[in-house]
Structures are given as structure tokens and as C-alpha cells.
Amino acid sequence: MSALFTIILPVFLVIGFGYLVAWRGLFSPSGVDSLMKFAQSFAVPTLLFSSMAKLDLGADFRLNLLLPFYAGAFASYLIGWAGAKFWFRRPPMDCVAIGFVCLFSNSLLLGIPITERAYGTEALDGNWTIIALHSPMLYTFGITVMEFTRARGSGLSVGRVALTAVMGVLRTPMVIGILCGVVMNVLMQAGLVMPDGFWGAVDMMARAALPAALFGLGGILVRYRPEGDMMAIALCCICALLIHPAITLSLATLGGLDVAGLRSAVLTAAMAPGVNAFLFADLYGSARRVAASSVLLATALSILTIWMWLAILP
């Protein structure tokens, strides 16, 4: 019970505070949008840059950490896609969007603060390793599959569709932050020394990232109303909150992953779909209602499911 109050609730109270003030009209929709623009386009990429620059790339990129997490993620995508296609009989582009909701966990805005509060800052190396690949890999996969689905019968070449997907991913601020951080890491390994003033400014921006993003996430969630398509929404929630972490836990245990890595992988997998899952659906005009409602309901339900996973983990 203590984990619920000391680890989980503080994070969700910040989200709830943002939700409350936006719901009561104390924070305008344009203000929420501006805050999220600051968080997602500037503060969060700076946090990712700082974390990637300081990560031990050789030691932390381990197959027995990454394989369980991403095997669970892609299995969840396939379950969501197949359910949408064969059970709910949704159009092909809707199937991809619903699968993406099941695929894309909120690894940064929820995974980082929950893991940090549960196990301390020193336990985050596994999280940062997963996050380094999370947006680049999953956005590339999602956009590529959607572009091929949309282009079916249009005569567009494979190269043209692939180029569209890659360019879309490379323009994402968070991916830019990750790539810049990796470049800085390599340069620092080669002997580059940045002045303390530089890192002081980076740290100031990075510290603003999670509180601003969590508060803004609450303000964004006000706009999403759980309505209709409840079976599809339930499938997304089950895949994101239960199936993905269960597969990750099983494979990580079989692979002999250390305790710190196991905690990072499972907790990251156990996070609800992020707002980016809805933005992906909205970008293509597919399954918007399912994506929006799944983000809202799964975020609320994850208060209890994260508690359960914390109790299971060593």
C-alpha cells in the first residue's frame, strides 16, 4: 500500500492537478498547448540529450534488456492490429492506429518518474537505454506500416514510402534530442570537455521537463472523452497495461536479466499509451476516438496496474 501513496500518487497528482485546472477553465487550452510545446519540443529533448550524453553506451545497450521489452511491444501491436482487423472489422488504417496505441508506452513522462521514485535515480540507466531506441524505432515502424497501408494500390515505390517514414521520424524533436546526445557522448569519449556553464544550463532545462510535461499531460487529457468503441478501447488497455509487461517480465526472467534491468524493462512496459499514440492516430485521421479514449482510460487505470507490477517485481 505504501508504494501507491509514496511512488505512484505523487506523479498522478501532478497530472490530476493539470487536469483539474484545465477542466475548471483556470488554464486555457492555448496555454496547455504552449506548455506542451515547450515541454515536448524543448525541455524533454534537452533531458534526453543530457541523459544520452552521460549514458555508458557500451555497458547499457544489452540484448537481454532490449529484446524482452521490444518483443512485448511488437507482440502487443500484433494483438491490437489483429483484434481490430479480425474481431472489430476496422478499416486497414484504423487497424494500424489501434495497433500503435498498444505498441507505444509512455516510457518517458510516466516511466522515468515512476522508476525514479521507486528505485532512485541510479536505477534509470535501463530506462534511458530503452528510451534511446523507443521513439526512433517505434515511430519508424508505425509510420512505415501506415504509409504502406495508405499507399496500397497508389503506385508509390517502396523507396518513396520508406523515405517519407524516415524523414518524418528525423524531424521529431525528441529523436533529435536523442541523436544529439549520442553524438555528444561519442565526442566526450573522444576527449571533448564542455564547460560547467553549458551543463548547468542543460540541467536547468532538463529539470523543468517532467513537471511541465506531466502537468501539461493532465491539461491535454481533459479534451479526451471516453465514448464508444469500448471493446476496442478495452483491448488497447489490456495490451498496454498487462500483456506488454507480462511478456517483458517472462522473457527478461528467462534471459537472466539483472534486477535493475528487470525493473526498468517491466515498469517501462507497464506504462499507459502516451499522448503521442493519439497524435499518431490524429495525423492519419484513423481511430481517433479509440486512441484518445485509450490514452485517458489507460492512464487512469495504470495507477492500479503499476501498483500491481511494483508488488510483483523484486
Side-chain angles (χ1 to χ4, degrees):
M1 180 67 73
S2 62
L4 178 64
F5 292 102
T6 61
I7 297 171
I8 302 170
L9 279 186
V11 174
F12 284 92
L13 284 175
V14 176
I15 298 173
F17 186 37
Y19 189 101
L20 176 65
V21 297
W23 173 53
R24 298 304 300 169
L26 301 175
F27 199 34
S28 69
S30 62
V32 173
D33 289 339
S34 296
L35 178 62
M36 288 303 285
K37 177 71 173 178
F38 163 75
Q40 292 188 319
S41 297
F42 303 103
V44 168
T46 302
L47 173 62
L48 290 169
F49 167 80
S50 175
S51 302
M52 291 302 108
K54 299 172 183 177
L55 195 65
D56 187 342
L57 299 178
D60 292 317
F61 279 83
R62 296 168 289 158
L63 188 61
N64 64 345
L65 168 68
L66 297 172
L67 182 60
F69 177 87
Y70 286 106
F74 285 110
S76 295
Y77 172 86
L78 287 174
I79 294 169
W81 178 87
K85 180 177 176 63
F86 299 111
W87 186 10
F88 307 123
R89 306 292 181 182
R90 301 291 293 237
M93 290 178 64
D94 279 13
C95 297
V96 177
I98 290 170
F100 192 82
V101 174
C102 300
L103 171 76
F104 203 91
S105 56
N106 199 339
S107 59
L108 182 63
L109 301 191
L110 293 181
I112 290 296
I114 292 292
T115 306
E116 183 176 15
R117 292 194 64 81
Y119 304 115
T121 305
E122 63 280 359
L124 293 177
D125 284 352
N127 294 62
W128 293 124
T129 303
I130 291 170
I131 288 170
L133 299 178
H134 195 256
S135 289
M137 180 189 295
L138 301 189
Y139 271 131
T140 301
F141 173 80
I143 293 173
T144 301
V145 174
M146 185 64 89
E147 290 294 337
F148 274 110
T149 301
R150 185 166 66 169
R152 186 176 299 165
S154 68
L156 291 176
S157 67
V158 172
R160 179 72 177 274
V161 174
L163 180 62
T164 300
V166 171
M167 293 306 297
V169 172
L170 291 178
R171 287 194 295 263
T172 305
M174 286 187 286
V175 173
I176 293 171
I178 290 169
L179 294 176
C180 289
V182 171
V183 171
M184 177 61 75
N185 190 303
V186 172
L187 291 175
M188 290 169 62
Q189 292 296 324
L192 177 67
V193 178
M194 299 299 292
D196 290 341
F198 172 81
W199 290 115
V202 168
D203 290 342
M204 288 176 67
M205 283 287 290
R207 284 197 298 271
L210 292 180
L214 289 171
F215 185 86
L217 175 61
I220 289 287
L221 289 176
V222 171
R223 305 173 190 178
Y224 303 155
R225 298 290 185 269
E227 52 184 2
D229 298 310
M230 289 308 297
M231 292 301 292
I233 295 166
L235 176 63
C236 291
C237 292
I238 290 170
C239 285
L241 302 179
L242 299 177
I243 293 177
H244 185 182
I247 293 173
T248 301
L249 176 61
S250 300
L251 293 178
T253 302
L254 289 173
L257 184 61
D258 60 275
V259 171
L262 183 69
R263 290 168 172 173
S264 292
V266 174
L267 281 184
T268 305
M271 296 302 122
V275 170
N276 287 333
F278 167 72
L279 296 178
F280 179 84
D282 188 56
L283 175 65
Y284 290 101
S286 302
R288 288 188 180 102
R289 185 165 62 182
V290 174
S293 298
S294 296
V295 170
L296 177 62
L297 290 179
T299 300
L301 290 172
S302 67
I303 297 174
L304 298 178
T305 57
I306 292 169
W307 184 25
M308 177 191 75
W309 290 114
L310 282 170
I312 292 172
L313 288 170

